Amino acid sequence: LVKMKSRMTDGFAGGKMDTTQRQKLVTRLAVALGNVASSETGCAYLDSERQKAKDWRKDPEWLWWALVRSASAMGNSRPYEKVRLLRHELSFQRLADITPGPERLNEIQVVLKGTGVRRYKWLDQAVEKIKREGGALHAGKRAMNLRNAQEKIDYLLEFHGIGPKYARNIWMDLHDEHFFEEVAVDTRIKSILSRLLQVGQSWNIAETHFVLEAAHAAKLSGWEADRLM
């Protein structure tokens, strides 16, 4: 995958391009994506990502841990590597049983000490919201059963600290059916696209369309292209 990413970015400089130039770049990205997807490594990786998503969806506290992951991984995924080892100490049910307010907030802060997570206040607020909805299992089922992508995004936006980007990423990590054609154009994808076309500093719909066009040309979904990149 690393070697293929290198080939995908060799020899291109960012800048404005006409339709013919753009199509050539789409084709090149499509060919590279197709080669990765059909390789043994690529196939195994996609299978692994689907299985991880399937296992996560089975977790009765999946919603809570999605919020924990977002709070601990904003701009840096390393804190979550420590946080996920605190499965018991940071479980929703354990925290829900603690008196809300300073007592629970202090407990969350103590549990997260040394992990690098600073957004623990968000998690305290999330516990209260999920409790009002009947607990992690009930709230998670309600979220899963929402009718479309926008409703699912809007629901997660109700949680303090979750913006559109992280709301979308949570559903993509779950391999939700309403997000099969989504692409999270972030720094890792920008690094590939930076020499293929003019890429701004923030995610935008034009970049998404470019990747989706290449993915479909390679007979892949947006989600599959996103994972491979």
Side-chain angles (χ1 to χ4, degrees):
L1 287 172
V2 173
K3 291 180 179 179
M4 184 59 70
K5 288 178 183 179
S6 176
R7 296 192 196 107
M8 288 161 65
T9 58
D10 283 347
F12 287 88
K16 294 181 179 179
M17 62 189 74
D18 60 29
T19 302
T20 301
Q21 289 175 311
R22 183 183 185 281
Q23 189 54 50
K24 287 181 179 179
L25 298 181
V26 168
T27 300
R28 174 141 189 209
L29 179 58
V31 170
L33 285 170
N35 288 340
V36 175
S38 61
S39 69
E40 184 177 350
T41 301
C43 288
Y45 183 72
L46 287 177
D47 286 345
S48 173
E49 287 293 290
R50 293 188 187 97
Q51 187 59 51
K52 282 196 299 185
K54 184 177 180 180
D55 293 341
W56 191 12
R57 291 196 303 270
K58 290 179 180 178
D59 186 340
E61 290 193 355
W62 75 263
L63 175 60
W64 166 246
W65 284 100
L67 297 171
V68 171
R69 182 175 183 177
S70 294
S72 61
M74 290 190 173
N76 186 350
S77 62
R78 285 176 292 181
Y80 187 67
E81 296 302 311
K82 297 179 180 179
V83 171
R84 67 178 182 174
L85 300 177
L86 304 172
R87 184 75 190 184
H88 169 69
E89 296 88 341
L90 207 59
S91 72
F92 170 81
Q93 194 55 58
R94 177 177 181 275
L95 295 177
D97 290 339
I98 299 175
T99 303
E103 183 179 346
R104 185 169 62 209
L105 190 59
N106 180 68
E107 178 62 18
I108 294 175
Q109 187 175 8
V110 169
V111 170
L112 292 176
K113 185 177 181 180
T115 64
V117 178
R118 298 184 296 275
R119 300 173 178 88
Y120 52 87
K121 291 182 180 179
W122 297 0
L123 298 179
D124 181 53
Q125 294 166 341
V127 171
E128 275 307 291
K129 176 173 170 54
I130 293 173
K131 278 183 67 177
R132 290 195 300 269
E133 295 183 13
L137 178 61
H138 183 78
K141 286 183 177 180
R142 173 177 176 266
M144 286 284 191
N145 290 330
L146 291 172
R147 295 173 298 178
N148 53 56
Q150 192 57 57
E151 286 189 3
K152 291 179 175 181
I153 290 288
D154 289 344
Y155 173 71
L156 291 183
L157 291 179
E158 294 175 10
F159 289 91
H160 188 73
I162 299 296
K165 174 183 174 181
Y166 280 91
R168 178 202 61 211
N169 288 353
I170 286 171
W171 291 112
M172 289 184 68
D173 287 343
L174 287 162
H175 196 212
D176 184 83
E177 62 181 341
H178 292 118
F179 294 81
F180 285 172
E181 294 304 334
E182 290 285 341
V183 177
V185 180
D186 54 16
T187 54
R188 81 186 192 285
I189 290 182
K190 286 180 185 292
S191 69
I192 295 173
L193 298 180
S194 61
R195 296 186 190 181
L196 296 178
L197 74 165
Q198 187 72 35
V199 178
Q201 294 300 308
S202 61
W203 177 85
N204 65 64
I205 197 67
E207 294 163 357
T208 301
H209 285 164
F210 182 89
V211 178
L212 280 174
E213 188 176 341
H216 295 162
K219 301 188 184 306
L220 298 171
S221 69
W223 181 88
E224 289 169 326
D226 178 274
R227 301 294 111 163
L228 290 172
M229 293 175 76

